[in-house]
Amino acid sequence: MFEKEVYIKRRSELKRALGRGVAVFFGNHEVAINYPSNTYRFRQDSSFLYYFGIDRPGLVGVIDVDKDNDFVFGDDIDDEDVIWMGDIGTIYDEALKSGLCCIKPLSEMYGYFRDVIKSKREVMFLPQYRFKNMIVIEEVLGIKPQTVNGYASLKLIRAVAEQRLKKSEEEIEQIKKAINISKGMYEIAFDKVREGITESQLLAECEAYAIENGVWLSFPTILTKRGDILHNTRHDGVLNRGDLVVMDSGVETELHYASDITRTIPVGNMSRLQKDIYDIVDSAQRSAIAKAKEGVRFLDVHLESARVIAEGMKGLGFFRGSIDGIVESGAYAVVYLHGVGHPLGLDVHDLEGLGEDYVGYSDSIKRSNKFGLRYLRFAKQLKEGYVMTVEPGIYFISALIEKWHNHQRFSDFVDYDALKGMIGFGGIRLEDDVLIKREGAEVLSKDVRRF
Ligand code: GLY
Ligand code: MN
Ligand code: MN
């Protein structure tokens, strides 16, 4: 945990932003894989971690703004559990480290919320993504699980997002720590990649480094020569000379701050065509990073990367017509369909669980329905202290090329015959993590090896 002052300050700021009511944060529970005592690795909810820092299952955190009182509901493990789990200490000890003065048994939670509701005070909670907590909410607030997220508090979402998006120095240190372990993983990936090695062997070498360093992954590693499958988590390929390996991976520190980095690594030398396309992605990423700073809309950072990709791909004969036309129409998305990046922090896609449209968009900037922009996770103005990924890519996706060709989509701009010749090429993505500042963006992952 951070120093207790960090959590006290975070909760005070939230109370100031909310003004009144009661904010409740439902911590996570153990989740069974195939029978109750065989569980997935426990991962605490990120907002719970942010305000309370206590990394154990079965807790509910309360920030009672009206009474200026913060506490946690939870039960210590019993004597029998100690046999299996060891002496993990008391919740109270951890609560003290979080600057809380008291904990309450879970049995008191129902009465507490009954009283809050009776006194007509507002109870605010965030959108839920685990069924167990939806059931807890039904028990304490009487809201049906299927409708829980319709009752999530917009005011709380906005306040939490605003706070969590802006990273403090100690949070940036954590992200740098995660990036530094990623750096070691990518050194191994570049050193060990060779003809004949399987994707899973290379993966094992890289992930071993994370485990040796006492951390775990922030999401399942993508390591594949099929870079055209964007979130391909299979590792059953054998690497051959001439393949391009897309490795998109991250780790999270003990305090659960993440890194998220992508490198494209050739097996042997790159061909001329591979290098040409690689260079376009590289330029798109550099131009996008150069544009990113406080006050700039992330949408414009995305469009900058799209412009460079449109120009480069036009230069290679895949697009035709005006660059403005290719970008404005969204034709570029036939090869670059995802957004340029997302916030990074306690979640890899930071705050995504609160709703991208609330976190990454605003009243003045609404999500576009255009194919290339639909997947842009964050579009609004950047502020100093945000940590964002910048991760453009070029992909030759057979199903997409075929579909667009059949519908003659943007055929003024796209040379489908040329694109069809690229099916089987795979994809190229480069991803770095940047800290937004007033005058520009600092690349936190600049020391991570790249081709
Ligand atoms: N790791 C998925 C992403 O880069 O967003
Ligand atoms: Mn990634
Ligand atoms: Mn990412």
Side-chain angles (χ1 to χ4, degrees):
M1 283 169 74
F2 292 120
E3 297 293 315
K4 67 179 177 199
E5 287 71 24
V6 169
Y7 302 102
I8 295 171
K9 182 163 171 261
R10 288 173 177 179
R11 293 191 298 263
S12 300
E13 280 175 10
L14 182 65
K15 281 182 267 196
R16 245 197 323 277
L18 293 173
R20 61 189 179 76
V22 177
V24 199
F25 296 89
F26 295 92
N28 279 335
H29 300 262
E30 298 280 14
V31 178
I33 302 174
N34 48 348
Y35 51 91
S37 64
N38 190 26
T39 54
Y40 290 100
R41 189 184 168 85
F42 174 70
R43 177 53 158 80
Q44 183 58 289
D45 173 72
S46 296
S47 291
F48 188 93
L49 280 174
Y50 185 82
Y51 292 107
F52 299 93
I54 310 175
D55 195 3
R56 65 163 81 189
L59 305 176
V60 176
V62 175
I63 299 180
D64 188 329
V65 186
D66 304 321
K67 302 201 168 161
D68 191 15
N69 187 19
D70 317 330
F71 56 89
V72 163
F73 287 110
D75 294 332
D76 282 319
I77 60 170
D78 60 27
D79 292 348
E80 213 167 302
D81 288 334
V82 171
I83 298 169
W84 302 99
M85 299 167 71
D87 181 4
I88 60 170
T90 65
I91 301 170
Y92 181 66
D93 286 339
E94 291 194 67
L96 289 180
K97 288 188 205 150
S98 177
L100 299 167
C101 62
C102 66
I103 61 159
K104 297 174 194 273
L106 282 168
S107 57
E108 287 183 17
M109 182 165 68
Y110 306 92
Y112 171 80
F113 282 109
R114 236 186 349 260
D115 291 347
V116 170
I117 291 165
K118 217 154 84 193
S119 58
K120 302 218 177 315
R121 298 201 289 137
E122 188 184 3
V123 179
M124 294 167 276
F125 57 85
L126 295 173
Q128 301 299 310
Y129 54 94
R130 292 227 179 148
F131 292 118
K132 168 86 182 186
N133 276 335
M134 295 182 186
I135 291 166
V136 173
I137 290 176
E138 182 177 30
E139 284 169 357
V140 294
L141 300 174
I143 299 168
K144 288 246 168 300
Q146 304 90 310
T147 63
V148 157
N149 286 343
Y151 289 88
S153 162
L154 201 52
K155 188 166 140 191
L156 184 62
I157 291 171
R158 294 225 156 103
V160 170
E162 207 44 50
Q163 218 181 336
R164 277 184 52 192
L165 278 172
K166 236 177 143 118
K167 305 308 190 271
S168 63
E169 267 174 37
E170 64 269 4
E171 291 183 288
I172 293 163
E173 279 314 306
Q174 284 289 315
I175 294 171
K176 283 183 178 170
K177 213 168 149 181
I179 290 170
N180 199 40
I181 295 169
S182 287
K183 176 174 180 286
M185 289 174 72
Y186 282 97
E187 287 294 335
I188 291 168
F190 275 94
D191 284 346
K192 301 274 178 177
V193 72
R194 62 177 163 77
E195 191 175 8
I197 195 172
T198 63
E199 290 169 351
S200 48
Q201 283 168 335
L202 190 57
L203 178 79
E205 301 263 12
C206 297
E207 291 189 353
Y209 184 84
I211 297 166
E212 280 161 21
N213 279 275
V215 299
W216 193 240
L217 308 174
S218 48
F219 61 94
T221 301
I222 296 164
L223 189 161
T224 179
K225 61 182 186 179
R226 289 293 310 273
D228 53 311
I229 304 174
L230 295 190
H231 278 177
N232 187 3
T233 46
R234 295 177 60 146
H235 308 109
D236 51 3
V238 180
L239 302 185
N240 296 312
R241 189 163 291 276
D243 286 338
L244 292 176
V245 180
V246 172
M247 176 168 160
D248 181 347
S249 72
V251 299
E252 57 176 41
T253 60
E254 200 189 346
L255 299 189
H256 301 288
Y257 285 85
S259 55
D260 183 12
I261 292 164
T262 306
R263 294 291 183 254
T264 301
I265 308 170
V267 185
N269 297 320
M270 275 194 198
S271 70
R272 181 61 206 254
L273 182 60
Q274 286 174 331
K275 181 73 168 57
D276 284 345
I277 293 176
Y278 183 94
D279 286 344
I280 296 170
V281 177
D282 185 89
S283 302
Q285 195 203 27
R286 288 178 200 278
S287 294
I289 291 171
K291 188 153 185 93
K293 63 176 181 180
E294 173 157 274
V296 170
R297 299 184 310 173
F298 205 51
L299 170 64
D300 294 322
V301 176
H302 175 86
L303 292 173
E304 175 64 15
S305 66
R307 189 187 59 75
V308 176
I309 285 174
E311 266 171 11
M313 292 298 276
K314 181 181 171 186
L316 294 180
F318 297 107
F319 291 141
R320 53 183 170 239
S322 79
I323 299 300
D324 283 351
I326 298 166
V327 174
E328 281 161 23
S329 66
Y332 69 87
V334 70
V335 293
Y336 174 32
L337 59 159
H338 61 71
V340 73
H342 51 83
L344 177 74
L346 278 165
D347 305 304
V348 174
H349 291 177
D350 210 21
L351 295 146
E352 187 171 301
L354 272 58
E356 283 176 4
D357 286 350
Y358 302 127
V359 174
Y361 290 80
S362 64
D363 291 339
S364 59
I365 173 159
K366 299 278 179 216
R367 188 188 286 268
S368 162
N369 201 30
K370 254 191 223 158
F371 187 68
L373 294 177
R374 198 188 301 160
Y375 304 110
L376 181 61
R377 301 183 185 284
F378 193 100
K380 69 185 187 187
Q381 281 189 335
L382 297 168
K383 289 189 185 165
E384 191 172 26
Y386 287 10
V387 174
M388 308 294 294
T389 69
V390 180
E391 49 177 307
I394 293 178
Y395 314 89
F396 298 95
I397 303 170
S398 158
L400 185 62
I401 295 169
E402 296 283 355
K403 187 171 163 192
W404 281 31
H405 189 202
N406 288 342
H407 290 95
Q408 284 293 306
R409 287 197 75 177
F410 309 119
S411 49
D412 288 350
F413 295 120
V414 182
D415 186 325
Y416 284 103
D417 289 334
L419 275 188
K420 280 184 161 176
M422 296 299 286
I423 290 171
F425 178 98
I428 292 174
R429 175 165 68 255
L430 291 170
E431 175 175 25
D432 280 278
D433 305 334
V434 306
L435 170 63
I436 303 301
K437 296 186 165 176
R438 227 169 307 165
E439 64 293 347
E442 178 190 342
V443 183
L444 300 177
S445 50
K446 67 178 185 327
D447 295 334
V448 176
R449 190 158 153 189
R450 65 199 275 148
F451 173 73

